[in-house]
């Protein structure tokens, strides 16, 4: 069991929580930090502004004095605030130039609480890492159902985007697996919200890019969890067969628990590299396979099971594989504990860190491509734009959003089935030529330009734009609602300035409808 938090940690958590609320409360037009009075709250004398309930209940020695707060508030005239999770945002999105960055991992206390029962959930801090949630919930025979590929990210960070990976076709994104949130809005209000309570804020914050509030706590849905994973990889020459099989698997009622894919462009020794973690179904034929000079597509799938279900699992795998058109000599399989599978990217991280190749520049690009456009996308991007050997993984897999919650702020293509395509290269500082930062950024621009001119409907995920007009195009019909919500919950545009969606405004000119162009 974990030891009790030290006094220092408790004070550190308390300090950061106070600062978070005060920073967002002390804006020049905001001199009352309290909620509207309710029966559950004490009322302060008329001459003294109310102390927020969230601050009144914090364990402190001493007291707050909120008199004449308007004078202190003037010191924060141009303040902006950004929440930083584990530092995986792109293009400075979690930064606040000339403002304050809240390090959300400092808000991991109080300890997470697992609640079993008919609808189990875990109550966690917004700064908690998903890997810690996995380890804690497994002790209760439970775990979240939807994950990201990399688990060393904060809850608030992934819920502010979406949280999409190879389980999303079945369990939907992480933002659809949340029961309740505690949010500090841009007006300094600490609000508990859910699909039934303060529902508009709840949906705004989920996928809201940090624009409406900072997630300080979340109640995340849990489910029973098997102990082991059958992990399988196979290759395809033809993209149409590859995509057809992926779409077939995600449409099946009985199918794998995880479905993703990878693109290999002129990679040498692919199958030999797999041998360190997987076993070939036909070792002789696998040894004869050559990958050089080819564009190959890897279908990666996984099936969860308990040890006593091994025979049933094997039959299910055989049945599913018999329906697919992969290259038979490239079938590789492995059996691993669930934790090892879900935390698989961290193993790669450790290897890269040992070589000094983890903390480098990552010019990543994530796109959501409609099913009807994926063939044309693959032909141009994998056939013409990316002609060299990629120094980072390229992920590609379909999801079906027909059951997703359409009230959140997440922007996706109009079609129900679309593909996540993630280009995840690394640029080593000393690299030149096709591995240099300049080349990789130029390559990203070529891909985006092709999409914007030839493939309307493609959307960015973990989006990065430089102008509000670009953001307006990105949101499309959702833009007006997005602006309305910004006006309601962060009228001075204090939050998440690094996204470059709204500019910090003066107290006399909050975000308004002038910025909406129809």
């Amino acid at each position: 069991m974990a030891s009790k938090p030290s006094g220092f940690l408790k004070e550190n958590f308390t300090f950061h929580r106070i600062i978070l609320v005060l920073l967002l409360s002390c804006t020049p037009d905001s001199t009352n930090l309290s909620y509207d009075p309710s029966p559950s709250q004490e009322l302060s004398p008329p001459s003294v502004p109310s102390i927020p309930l969230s601050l009144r209940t914090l364990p402190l020695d001493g007291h707050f004095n909120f008199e004449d707060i308007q004078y202190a508030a003037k010191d924060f005239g141009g303040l902006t605030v950004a929440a930083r999770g584990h530092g995986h945002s792109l293009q400075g999105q979690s930064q606040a130039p000339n403002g304050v960055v809240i390090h959300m991992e400092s808000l991991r206390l109080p300890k997470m609480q697992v609640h079993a029962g008919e609808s189990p959930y875990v109550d966690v801090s917004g700064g908690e890492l998903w890997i810690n949630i996995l380890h804690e919930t497994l002790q209760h025979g439970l775990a979240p159902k939807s994950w990201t590929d990399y688990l060393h990210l904060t809850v608030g960070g992934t819920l502010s985007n979406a949280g999409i990976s190879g389980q999303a076709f079945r369990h939907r994104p992480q933002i659809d697996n949340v029961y309740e949130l505690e949010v500090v809005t841009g007006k300094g209000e600490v609000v508990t919200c859910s699909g039934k309570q303060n529902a508009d804020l709840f949906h705004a914050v989920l996928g809201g890019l940090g624009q409406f509030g900072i997630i300080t706590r979340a109640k995340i849905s849990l489910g029973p969890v098997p102990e082991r994973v059958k992990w399988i990889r196979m290759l395809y020459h033809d993209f149409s067969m590859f995509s057809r099989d992926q779409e077939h698997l995600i449409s099946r009622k009985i199918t794998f628990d995880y479905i993703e894919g990878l693109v290999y462009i002129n990679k040498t020794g692919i199958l030999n590299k797999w041998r360190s973690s997987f076993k070939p179904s036909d070792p002789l034929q696998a040894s004869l396979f050559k990958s050089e000079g080819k564009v190959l597509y890897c279908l990666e799938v996984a099936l969860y099971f308990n040890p006593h279900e091994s025979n049933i699992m094997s039959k299910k795998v055989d049945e599913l594989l018999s329906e697919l058109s992969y290259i038979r000599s490239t079938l590789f399989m492995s059996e691993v504990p669930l934790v090892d599978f879900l935390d698989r990217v961290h193993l790669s991280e450790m290897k890269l860190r040992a070589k000094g190749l983890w903390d480098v520049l990552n010019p990543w690009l994530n796109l959501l491509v409609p099913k009807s456009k994926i063939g044309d996308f693959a032909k141009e991007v994998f056939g013409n734009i990316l002609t060299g050997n990629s120094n980072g993984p390229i992920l590609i897999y379909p999801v079906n959003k027909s059951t997703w919650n359409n009230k959140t702020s997440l922007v996706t293509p109009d079609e129900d089935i679309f593909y996540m395509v993630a280009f995840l290269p690394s640029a080593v500082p000393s690299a030149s030529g096709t591995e240099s930062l300049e080349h990789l950024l130029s390559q990203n621009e070529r891909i985006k330009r092709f999409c914007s001119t030839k493939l309307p409907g493609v959307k960015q995920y973990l989006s990065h734009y430089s102008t509000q007009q670009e953001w307006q195009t990105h949101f499309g019909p959702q833009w007006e609602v997005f602006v309305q919500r910004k006006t309601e919950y962060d009228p001075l545009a204090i939050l998440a300035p690094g996204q470059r969606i709204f500019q910090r405004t003066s107290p006399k000119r909050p975000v308004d409808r002038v910025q909406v162009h129809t």
Side-chain angles (χ1 to χ4, degrees):
M1 292 180 63
S3 60
K4 291 184 179 180
S6 67
F8 170 78
L9 287 177
K10 286 182 179 178
E11 291 174 7
N12 190 46
F13 166 75
T14 299
F15 172 77
H16 281 86
R17 187 174 173 83
I18 292 169
I19 291 298
L20 176 61
V21 175
L22 288 181
L23 286 176
L24 294 176
S25 300
C26 294
T27 53
D29 67 337
S30 219
T31 57
N32 186 346
L33 301 183
S34 67
Y35 294 108
D36 292 332
S38 65
S40 62
Q41 293 179 292
E42 300 175 11
L43 297 179
S44 302
S47 60
V48 181
S50 301
I51 300 174
L53 179 62
S54 60
L55 297 187
R56 274 189 268 133
T57 57
L58 286 173
L60 288 176
D61 293 327
H63 66 280
F64 289 109
N65 185 340
F66 284 81
E67 294 185 40
D68 298 325
I69 194 171
Q70 65 271 22
Y71 299 112
K74 290 179 181 179
D75 293 335
F76 298 107
L79 178 75
T80 58
V81 177
R84 182 185 185 275
H86 205 55
H88 285 259
S89 296
L90 305 179
Q91 303 279 351
Q93 292 172 341
S94 62
Q95 297 301 305
N98 301 315
V100 176
V101 176
I102 304 294
H103 185 43
M104 295 304 293
E105 286 190 70
S106 64
L107 295 174
R108 280 198 240 170
L109 292 172
K111 184 181 178 182
M112 71 181 83
Q113 297 290 327
V114 176
H115 298 262
E118 189 174 334
S119 300
Y121 66 90
V122 59
D123 191 346
V124 299
S125 164
E128 191 60 80
L129 298 181
W130 286 97
I131 183 62
N132 296 334
I133 295 174
L134 173 62
H135 288 304
E136 179 68 25
T137 56
L138 282 177
Q139 296 182 36
H140 302 263
L142 299 166
K145 293 168 282 188
S146 186
W147 298 94
T148 51
D149 289 322
Y150 182 63
L151 304 189
H152 296 250
L153 303 171
T154 62
V155 168
T158 65
L159 296 184
S160 294
N161 288 282
I164 299 174
S165 75
Q167 298 95 352
F169 78 94
R170 166 166 278 184
H171 296 296
R172 301 178 294 175
Q174 289 181 321
I175 57 174
D176 279 12
N177 286 267
V178 180
Y179 290 143
E180 184 179 282
L181 298 172
E182 180 189 75
V183 175
V184 181
T185 70
K187 295 192 289 188
E189 298 171 337
V190 184
V191 183
T192 298
C193 54
S194 67
K196 296 181 179 179
Q197 177 186 8
N198 299 308
D200 185 67
L201 177 61
F202 179 72
H203 294 129
V205 168
L206 294 172
L209 307 176
Q211 291 297 310
F212 312 109
I214 295 175
I215 297 171
T216 52
R217 294 200 67 77
K219 292 183 178 179
I220 299 162
S221 170
L222 302 176
V225 58
E227 297 177 16
R228 296 191 63 79
V229 174
K230 187 75 170 182
W231 188 5
I232 307 168
R233 285 180 178 174
M234 63 210 84
L235 292 176
Y236 290 74
H237 286 302
D238 183 76
F239 181 80
S240 62
M241 289 185 178
F242 167 74
S243 59
R244 182 190 63 195
D245 281 358
Q246 282 192 317
E247 291 170 19
H248 167 69
L249 289 175
I250 70 165
S251 66
R252 235 177 168 274
K253 186 174 182 180
I254 299 176
T255 189
F256 293 104
D257 295 293
Y258 160 95
I259 299 169
E260 285 197 11
L262 294 145
V263 182
Y264 295 114
I265 301 175
N266 194 24
K267 288 280 190 179
T268 60
I270 295 172
L271 300 189
N272 285 334
K273 294 175 182 176
W274 287 2
R275 288 177 185 270
S276 62
S277 303
F278 298 83
K279 292 181 179 180
S281 61
D282 189 335
L284 177 59
Q285 291 301 313
S287 66
L288 299 175
F289 183 82
K290 303 296 182 184
S291 60
E292 294 83 350
K294 301 174 182 176
V295 177
L296 295 168
Y297 307 96
C298 169
L299 175 58
E300 183 177 63
V301 295
L303 189 65
Y304 307 160
F305 68 100
N306 287 310
H308 68 274
E309 302 169 323
S310 292
N311 291 336
I312 297 174
M313 178 274 298
S314 296
K315 291 179 181 178
K316 186 175 179 180
V317 166
D318 290 343
E319 178 184 347
L320 291 169
L321 292 179
S322 70
E323 300 172 359
L324 307 179
S325 302
Y326 58 92
I327 303 168
R328 289 313 193 242
S329 61
T330 66
L331 180 64
F332 278 60
M333 299 188 189
S334 178
E335 286 188 19
V336 296
L338 178 72
V339 173
D340 290 359
F341 172 74
L342 292 177
D343 200 28
R344 61 196 179 279
V345 178
H346 185 57
L347 298 177
S348 299
E349 176 189 350
M350 292 296 97
K351 294 177 183 177
L352 291 172
R353 282 191 183 279
K355 298 177 182 179
L357 298 176
W358 180 258
D359 293 315
V360 297
L361 298 173
N362 300 116
W364 292 351
L365 175 64
N366 298 268
L367 301 173
L368 306 178
V369 183
K371 172 186 171 180
S372 65
K373 307 288 175 50
I374 195 63
D376 292 336
F377 178 92
K379 182 178 179 180
E380 176 64 18
V381 174
F382 305 140
N384 294 321
I385 297 178
L386 303 180
T387 56
N389 191 7
S390 173
N391 66 339
I394 302 173
L395 306 182
I396 181 167
Y397 55 92
V399 294
N400 188 332
K401 71 169 186 179
S402 60
T403 62
W404 294 13
N405 187 339
N406 61 8
K407 296 179 182 179
T408 69
S409 294
L410 175 64
V411 175
T412 60
D414 292 335
E415 299 177 19
D416 280 347
I417 296 177
F418 60 86
Y419 280 73
M420 165 68 79
V421 187
F423 303 90
L424 308 175
S426 298
V428 179
S430 59
S432 59
T434 59
E435 295 187 355
S436 68
L437 176 62
E438 292 75 15
H439 175 81
L440 294 172
L441 289 173
S442 175
Q443 193 170 261
N444 286 350
E445 289 304 315
R446 286 186 65 192
I447 295 171
K448 290 190 289 184
R449 189 161 54 248
F450 168 69
C451 292
S452 64
T453 57
K454 302 294 184 181
L455 301 179
V458 173
K459 298 292 184 180
Q460 283 192 42
Y461 176 64
L462 307 179
S463 313
H464 167 68
Y465 299 104
S466 299
T467 68
Q468 190 179 83
Q469 182 59 50
E470 291 174 313
W471 279 108
Q472 184 175 338
T473 301
H474 170 76
F475 280 101
Q478 294 175 239
W479 173 247
E480 187 168 349
V481 172
F482 198 81
V483 173
Q484 289 172 347
R485 286 171 165 174
K486 187 69 171 179
T487 303
E488 176 65 25
Y489 304 116
D490 184 25
L492 301 184
I494 295 170
L495 296 174
Q499 295 282 1
R500 301 180 181 89
I501 305 177
F502 302 99
Q503 288 189 347
R504 176 72 160 91
T505 63
S506 68
K508 295 181 180 180
R509 186 181 177 273
V511 176
D512 56 35
R513 298 298 289 265
V514 174
Q515 295 175 316
V516 180
H517 304 282
T518 57

